[in-house]
Amino acid sequence: MELPDIEVDFSKFPKVKTVALVTDSNVDRLYGDAAVRRIETSGLRVERIVFPAGERSKTLETYAELVRGFAALGMTRTDIAVALGGGVVGDLTGFAAATYMRGIDYVQVPTTLLAMVDSSIGGKTGVDIPEGKNLVGAFHLPSQIVRNVGFLATLPEREMKNGFAELIKTAILFDPELFAALSPRPSLDALAPLVERCARWKEKVVAADFREGGRRKLLNLGHTFGHAIESASSFRLSHGEAVAVGMRIVGRNVPEIGAILDEYGFPQVDDVFSEPLNLTQDDLRGYLANDKKRSGETITLVVPKRIGECELKDIPMSELDAWLK
Ligand code: ADP
Ligand code: ZN
């Protein structure tokens, strides 16, 4: 594959000598060689570290391979890591960079739509452990994020929809114009300004509220039910599909929400409770009770009032069933 431009500004790192280019097996096959050549033209030593693609690589073991890889390359505090890939690559590279020598700089080059608008922004890094997803991690902001929608030409449709669910979420939260621009579904050519606009919103929220006190909670729109559905389905539903159903559940009073999710072909609420998934309300209740966002007997839901305006509502756990009806 021809390499979309990777416009990393290495002059921001005056003392860098070695760049660790971290990527997964899929992205490496498509873009690895070209990316190495591109970074070498900046006169830097580039060393590639590749791990198998997929969420199953987001482990302490892969993390250990990365930091030991950095050490084996003799990287110092002024060297940098470049994360070329989706959210898994970004989270792992960010966590390795956060902790190697107590913190080195890293650059995000997101290659999935989801990573471009969501996971590359905000500095959340980490890995999964058998006890739960993202249970080990650190806040470590990337020094640069280089977005190029050219990478999306090779991205599978299921992964594209994961990203669109997050774009739709941001539009519902903050931006009626973005919402309008997302319907009908824009082509790749039209996507760059929408990706930038969505990313700006997330940056704004995160900057105002770095460690998730108030406003950052809004970004959980669709995610409280979404995470429960995703887990209860044993990940047969993708993140985007599950969040879309979550947005349908809390967005029932705003008909445009159901309408746009229909347009993209996201599942209906009923699909979750019927063949082949057959989840029950009990299944979901179990996961909701363990939600990180629960405090005591209430859980905070993000509830749309209209496109561009949502509110945080504390709901007693005992009332959750009514939402699932
Ligand atoms: P996400 O960004 O959705 O959190 P991943 O990092 O797991 O998740 O990426 C999703 C899948 O897409 C992985 O299999 C990854 O290798 C693959 N992938 C990432 N970027 C591209 C791309 N530009 N073209 C094709 N496949 C890609
Ligand atoms: Zn999400």
Side-chain angles (χ1 to χ4, degrees), residues 166-293:
E166 228 64 49
L167 275 155
I168 292 168
K169 178 195 83 175
T170 304
I172 295 169
L173 284 171
F174 308 117
D175 194 341
E177 268 183 51
L178 177 61
F179 190 84
L182 288 170
S183 172
R185 178 173 154 171
S187 67
L188 259 190
D189 301 331
L191 214 48
L194 307 184
V195 164
E196 286 306 318
R197 192 163 168 143
C198 185
R200 288 291 101 72
W201 279 115
K202 176 153 185 193
E203 279 166 9
K204 215 164 136 178
V205 173
V206 168
D209 189 8
F210 188 49
R211 274 171 208 269
E212 196 148 11
R215 263 174 79 80
R216 195 161 177 170
K217 279 191 187 159
L218 285 171
L219 299 174
N220 288 326
L221 172 61
H223 281 63
T224 304
F225 288 112
H227 281 144
I229 292 166
E230 194 181 3
S231 302
S233 82
S234 308
F235 299 89
R236 280 176 289 170
L237 285 188
S238 70
H239 182 69
E241 289 167 339
V243 168
V245 175
M247 292 194 287
R248 287 189 193 273
I249 292 171
V250 291
R252 284 195 173 103
N253 291 331
V254 183
E256 298 96 316
I257 294 177
I260 198 169
L261 296 171
D262 288 349
E263 238 184 279
Y264 281 72
F266 282 114
Q268 304 291 330
V269 180
D270 283 348
D271 294 335
V272 169
F273 298 112
S274 49
E275 290 286 342
L277 288 172
N278 272 335
L279 305 189
T280 65
Q281 294 196 2
D282 269 345
D283 294 334
L284 296 190
R285 217 175 293 121
Y287 286 100
L288 289 165
N290 289 323
D291 194 282
K292 267 189 293 198
K293 276 86 192 175

Side-chain angles (χ1 to χ4, degrees), residues 25-89:
S25 48
N26 290 337
V27 179
D28 181 50
R29 189 164 26 79
L30 290 163
Y31 303 109
D33 292 343
V36 167
R37 283 198 301 272
R38 175 74 52 85
I39 299 171
E40 278 172 349
T41 61
S42 313
L44 300 168
R45 168 186 174 221
V46 188
E47 299 288 346
R48 215 183 310 193
I49 305 181
V50 183
F51 58 81
E55 179 81 20
R56 271 189 304 184
S57 281
K58 220 176 110 173
T59 59
L60 289 168
E61 289 73 24
T62 311
Y63 159 76
E65 280 174 28
L66 295 188
V67 284
R68 295 194 63 192
F70 295 171
L73 296 174
M75 286 173 67
T76 70
R77 230 178 235 143
T78 51
D79 289 324
I80 61 171
V82 173
L84 177 71
V88 172
V89 173

Side-chain angles (χ1 to χ4, degrees), residues 24 26-27 30-31 53 86-89 111-112 114-115 151 154-156 159:
D24 73 24
N26 290 337
V27 179
L30 290 163
Y31 303 109
V88 172
V89 173
T111 62
T112 67
L114 183 63
F151 284 111
T154 53
L155 192 68
E159 304 297 337

